[in-house]
Amino acid sequence: GYLNWFTVAADGSGGLKQITSDKKDNRAISFNKKRTQAVYFCGRDEVRLLNLKTMQQQLLVKDEIWGFNNSQPMFSPDEQYISFNAFRGFEKDIMLYNLQTKKTFNLTNTGVTESDPMWSGDGKYLYFSSSRLKPSFPFGSQNPSIWRLALENIDEPFRSDKFTDLFKEKDTAKKASANADSAIVNIDMDRIMERMELVSPAFGSQSLVAVYQKGEKTTVFYRSNHSEGKPALWKTIIEPFEENKTEKITGTEGAFDFDIVAVSDKFYLNSKGDISKMNLETNRVDGVKLSYTFRRNLQAEFSQMFEEAWAKMEINYYDENFHGLNWTKTKEKYESFVAHLNNRADMRILLNDMLGELNSSHQGFNTGGDDEKVELSNRTMESGIVFENENPYKVKYIVKRSAADHKGVDVRSGDVLAKVNGLTVDKNTDRNYYFSKPSLDKEMVLGFVRDGKAFDVKIHPQPSLLNNFYDEWIDNNRQRVDDKSKNRIAYSCMKNMSTAELESFIIDMTKELNNKDALILDLRYNTGGNVHDEVLKFLEQRSYLQWKYREGKLARQGNFTPSDKPIVLLINEQSLSDAEMTAAGFKSLKLGTIIGNETYHWIIFTSATSLVDGSAVRLPSWGCYTLDGKDLEMSGVTPDIKIVNSFEDKINGRDPQVDKAVEEIMKQLEKK
């Protein structure tokens, strides 16, 4: 299951030869110009050197590299340095290892991510991707751009020197070759970060793919979505006395992953296994047709998938003690079943059972294929009309914001459903039969009877009412808070911690908080995401000064200052993942009172890795801890005031948690 290095003859003769036998992943290999040495990552924390003649390995650096999603380490053109990314406070810094002095130093050290460092051919610059103004974690990289960093405080070339050069006899090809071979890297750290220059467009999101230099002309390739938000491969050409020229490579639109190989003056592009020739004069790619025979051994594949899934978790699981489980013994237990697997469903059950032994959140094995394709299935078409339980064809009410909640759909409580798309319903048949089809209809005609008179309505059905019912619950809570506080308390609920829900929360605050004296933020049933930092930054804002126009009213700064007012955070046993991070941060920052029930204990940050067949294993790799070191996966977040809503409370429309929140805030307001 561990990735190791092998060699094979280019013509396929001689078979495989194994070079390393590590019980950790070897990956991200790159070579020096002479192809005598290679540098690569090993495990979570090692940079290693490989002698390509003797195949002997040497440990160069131990650092926090992480076990997957790495940038490539690279030799400098003069082979004096090796560049690589290491993490400092969850952000990638560019590190340089000096092969002569055997010392490592942090080139950037900024507190924001600089990733994918690549050298210019003459050794004068490093190119990389960075958002520069915003950290990558926890919110994710936000619109990174491509930058270049001058390693010395060099000036632009002078036109007068170039003019003089025009009248000298010279061999251009030999000079370019000599310049490339004699590149020497010198690094001046004095004010080095002031020498950053933007290469890519200033908007959109870019990631660096490759840098090539020929003579004085440098071509920088990167993935970008700055044109109409659509990703493609772009290039920017940099050469003296010319404005930078940025062009799209036609034929790469929509692709996300690129790998470029240059052979002499020819360029080849690999995008998810599709090979193309790249013509830099016309800026387009032309596909290369490949023919091959692929034979699949399902039993061997299942065995490899099992080994990889186990090993990826062994390398990257956030808790080195594996929640007290002997992970090696667990492998031995489940390995005995692999030989008896017959299909993908068996594989799914086996791996998820093994992963489940960790008793951990945010994990699992996902797979799918044509062998499991369901040919026939049904879709439910929701009308937005809720019918009575005891009389299932009699209308109870219309759900707000649903398909039936529109002008022209005149359906009222007490109306009786008589027809669906012209078909008379049978009152003894399950009503859902008439609303289930192999696909979702764009329109439906429903026939009703009211006071003995028949009438039809048309609706555009929707696939689910889940969000509508959630919004209905939120509306009821907001009305409850308004009534009990006499409109003094703003109420906002976040269903999850997504970017869209964050925006809804901020919009809620623009409508509600400005005109009210306090805030209840409801994170009950919140399913998580990754915007806790933004929510907490918003909540901790306080007033810091006032200003006004002549004879006008004083206005506070900033515009939104929730922490000037009492805040209550509502949590319960189904607040999970990033909702627990938010609750823990709320408590640590002392932003207000937490009311409700203890959170779900379901908070580990994750990524995913693919297996040999393209299946995916979710890796819980980053633990989340309080400032005093408690693992939130184990402890959750306890409220300041514990109130548990019972099942009877829910079905009878009671909400003691909201009532207590209003009560606590009103006490604080009365003291002011």
Side-chain angles (χ1 to χ4, degrees):
Y2 298 105
L3 298 175
N4 276 280
W5 296 125
F6 292 75
T7 61
V8 65
D11 61 5
S13 63
L16 293 171
K17 182 179 179 182
Q18 187 164 352
I19 304 304
T20 61
S21 301
D22 294 305
K23 290 188 175 180
K24 46 181 133 180
D25 282 349
N26 292 320
R27 63 200 182 281
I29 196 167
S30 61
F31 304 92
N32 66 348
K33 188 181 302 181
K34 298 175 182 177
R35 293 292 197 269
T36 58
Q37 292 182 312
V39 61
Y40 65 93
F41 293 138
C42 181
R44 295 179 298 272
D45 57 1
E46 292 183 359
V47 182
R48 288 190 183 182
L49 191 69
L50 179 65
N51 186 311
L52 296 177
K53 292 183 178 179
T54 65
M55 295 300 174
Q56 295 297 308
Q57 306 105 51
Q58 176 187 348
L59 174 64
L60 299 182
V61 181
K62 286 183 75 73
D63 209 322
E64 190 172 344
I65 297 166
W66 295 3
F68 55 99
N69 294 342
N70 304 112
S71 303
Q72 198 92 352
M74 287 191 173
F75 289 92
S76 63
D78 63 355
E79 300 181 16
Q80 181 182 356
Y81 295 97
I82 288 172
S83 60
F84 63 96
N85 275 136
F87 286 87
R88 296 293 182 270
F90 269 53
E91 301 297 319
K92 289 181 182 179
D93 281 344
I94 297 176
M95 317 297 289
L96 296 183
Y97 176 80
N98 190 312
L99 286 161
Q100 294 177 348
T101 65
K102 302 186 186 309
K103 292 183 179 179
T104 305
F105 63 94
N106 192 329
L107 185 71
T108 50
N109 198 24
T110 59
V112 298
T113 286
E114 295 91 19
S115 64
D116 304 306
M118 296 181 185
W119 301 85
S120 64
D122 57 12
K124 294 180 179 179
Y125 298 94
L126 263 179
Y127 293 80
F128 51 85
S129 306
S130 178
S131 294
R132 198 172 193 194
L133 299 180
K134 294 185 178 180
S136 170
F137 277 78
F139 204 55
S141 186
Q142 299 177 59
N143 295 325
S145 300
I146 308 302
W147 302 82
R148 79 169 182 174
L149 179 65
L151 298 177
E152 291 187 282
N153 189 18
I154 52 180
D155 202 351
E156 292 292 322
F158 291 93
R159 286 181 176 272
S160 56
D161 292 339
K162 187 69 174 178
F163 183 79
T164 302
D165 270 354
L166 291 174
F167 296 93
K168 291 181 179 179
E169 292 185 7
K170 59 188 176 181
D171 187 330
T172 306
K174 286 184 178 180
K175 183 177 180 181
S177 176
N179 287 343
D181 291 339
S182 60
I184 297 176
V185 175
N186 293 305
I187 301 174
D188 178 6
M189 292 296 293
D190 183 35
R191 296 173 292 158
I192 188 168
M193 297 308 289
E194 294 181 14
R195 302 199 288 268
M196 282 179 64
E197 301 173 73
L198 182 64
V199 173
S200 63
F203 48 94
S205 178
Q206 290 92 37
S207 57
L208 189 58
V209 175
V211 177
Y212 290 98
Q213 184 171 357
K214 185 176 181 180
E216 296 179 323
K217 181 179 178 179
T218 300
T219 305
V220 184
F221 295 97
Y222 49 90
R223 174 185 171 271
S224 179
N225 65 353
H226 68 272
S227 177
E228 300 178 343
K230 299 176 181 178
L233 183 66
W234 289 74
K235 72 174 186 182
T236 294
I237 298 173
I238 305 171
E239 53 185 329
F241 315 116
E242 301 287 345
E243 294 289 332
N244 288 0
K245 188 176 182 180
T246 296
E247 299 171 315
K248 183 171 72 172
I249 308 298
T250 303
T252 63
E253 295 85 352
F256 287 85
D257 296 311
F258 302 104
D259 186 23
I260 295 176
V261 173
V263 182
S264 298
D265 289 332
K266 296 179 180 179
F267 289 82
Y268 298 88
L269 179 69
N270 176 9
S271 179
K272 287 196 175 288
D274 293 325
I275 309 297
S276 304
K277 291 180 181 178
M278 196 158 52
N279 188 322
L280 297 189
E281 298 300 322
T282 61
N283 290 319
R284 64 175 297 109
V285 295
D286 297 303
V288 176
K289 291 184 178 180
L290 301 175
S291 64
Y292 56 88
T293 299
F294 179 76
R295 294 184 175 93
R296 187 173 182 179
N297 182 327
L298 198 59
Q299 186 61 55
E301 185 173 285
F302 283 166
S303 178
Q304 177 66 15
M305 291 163 66
F306 176 85
E307 292 282 347
E308 285 187 17
W310 180 89
K312 296 296 184 188
M313 197 64 68
E314 192 277 330
I315 294 169
N316 296 293
Y317 189 63
Y318 89 103
D319 178 19
E320 56 270 29
N321 296 314
F322 292 88
H323 283 185
L325 181 71
N326 186 322
W327 192 231
T328 302
K329 289 285 187 184
T330 302
K331 179 188 178 186
E332 294 171 2
K333 171 184 172 182
Y334 284 89
E335 196 170 22
S336 62
F337 297 102
V338 174
H340 304 286
L341 300 178
N342 293 312
N343 52 54
R344 192 181 300 274
D346 290 348
M347 190 77 216
R348 186 184 293 111
I349 292 170
L350 177 74
L351 281 180
N352 279 316
D353 280 357
M354 181 179 73
L355 296 172
E357 297 271 7
L358 288 165
N359 191 26
S360 171
S361 69
H362 292 79
Q363 62 176 20
F365 166 72
N366 297 304
T367 186
D370 291 341
D371 53 308
E372 290 190 313
K373 187 175 180 180
V374 177
E375 297 295 337
L376 300 175
S377 62
N378 269 1
R379 297 286 303 275
T380 300
M381 294 178 287
E382 294 288 358
S383 64
I385 302 169
V386 175
F387 296 87
E388 294 184 357
N389 287 333
E390 300 303 321
N391 191 344
Y393 285 87
K394 187 176 181 180
V395 175
K396 185 176 182 181
Y397 71 96
I398 304 300
V399 181
K400 290 181 181 178
R401 309 176 187 89
S402 72
D405 185 26
H406 291 288
K407 181 180 179 181
V409 182
D410 182 20
V411 179
R412 306 174 191 173
S413 176
D415 292 346
V416 177
L417 181 66
K419 292 183 179 181
V420 176
N421 290 331
L423 179 65
T424 301
V425 302
D426 180 352
K427 300 294 179 66
N428 296 314
T429 298
D430 186 333
R431 185 188 66 245
N432 291 305
Y433 168 78
Y434 299 104
F435 292 87
S436 298
K437 294 286 180 66
S439 61
L440 190 68
D441 287 347
K442 293 184 177 180
E443 296 181 7
M444 293 184 74
V445 179
L446 303 182
F448 290 91
V449 175
R450 179 190 303 158
D451 299 329
K453 294 182 180 180
F455 64 96
D456 292 339
V457 296
K458 293 180 180 180
I459 63 166
H460 297 285
Q462 60 189 87
S464 171
L465 285 173
L466 177 62
N467 269 322
N468 298 89
F469 286 135
Y470 207 149
D471 289 337
E472 186 176 75
W473 180 75
I474 292 170
D475 289 343
N476 292 337
N477 289 340
R478 181 171 284 125
Q479 189 61 53
R480 189 183 196 93
V481 170
D482 287 346
D483 292 344
K484 288 183 172 293
S485 71
K486 297 180 180 176
N487 290 316
R488 296 190 66 187
I489 302 173
Y491 171 89
S492 184
C493 175
M494 294 185 70
K495 303 173 187 176
N496 53 59
M497 307 303 287
S498 66
T499 303
E501 199 65 16
L502 171 66
E503 291 175 357
S504 294
F505 166 64
I506 302 297
I507 290 170
D508 245 6
M509 295 298 91
T510 64
K511 295 187 298 184
E512 297 285 330
L513 186 60
N514 268 4
N515 304 313
K516 296 190 177 179
D517 303 322
L519 170 64
I520 295 173
L521 176 57
D522 197 342
L523 297 186
R524 296 176 298 173
Y525 309 104
N526 185 295
T527 54
N530 194 14
V531 297
H532 62 270
D533 197 51
E534 297 296 313
V535 173
L536 293 171
K537 284 177 181 176
F538 181 87
L539 291 178
E540 65 180 343
Q541 293 178 96
R542 302 176 187 275
S543 300
Y544 51 84
L545 56 81
Q546 298 182 103
W547 56 2
K548 73 178 183 68
Y549 179 70
R550 174 177 170 174
E551 299 177 2
K553 293 183 178 179
L554 283 167
R556 292 192 175 193
Q557 280 286 288
N559 284 16
F560 299 101
T561 54
S563 280
D564 285 351
K565 303 172 181 180
I567 307 175
V568 164
L569 184 71
L570 290 176
I571 58 175
N572 70 358
E573 63 282 358
Q574 286 179 258
S575 302
L576 55 89
S577 194
D578 205 44
E580 299 184 80
M581 286 284 278
T582 306
F586 186 91
K587 178 175 281 193
S588 180
L589 293 169
K590 297 180 172 59
L591 296 177
T593 305
I594 301 179
I595 293 175
N597 200 8
E598 188 175 296
T599 60
Y600 193 53
H601 298 217
W602 208 77
I603 171 59
I604 305 174
F605 274 73
T606 65
S607 186
T609 187
S610 61
L611 306 182
V612 65
D613 70 322
S615 300
V617 173
R618 200 173 183 189
L619 298 178
S621 300
W622 299 273
C624 302
Y625 304 85
T626 60
L627 290 178
D628 57 0
K630 290 181 182 176
D631 184 350
L632 289 176
E633 175 86 354
M634 299 298 186
S635 65
V637 180
T638 56
D640 300 309
I641 301 173
K642 185 172 183 177
I643 302 287
V644 180
N645 283 5
S646 68
F647 181 70
E648 287 78 9
D649 289 329
K650 294 173 186 176
I651 63 175
N652 288 296
R654 299 190 296 264
D655 198 331
Q657 292 169 339
V658 168
D659 294 345
K660 186 64 176 178
V662 174
E663 178 187 327
E664 287 298 310
I665 287 177
M666 295 306 292
K667 286 180 184 177
Q668 295 180 49
L669 293 177
E670 289 170 5
K671 292 178 181 177
K672 290 190 174 184

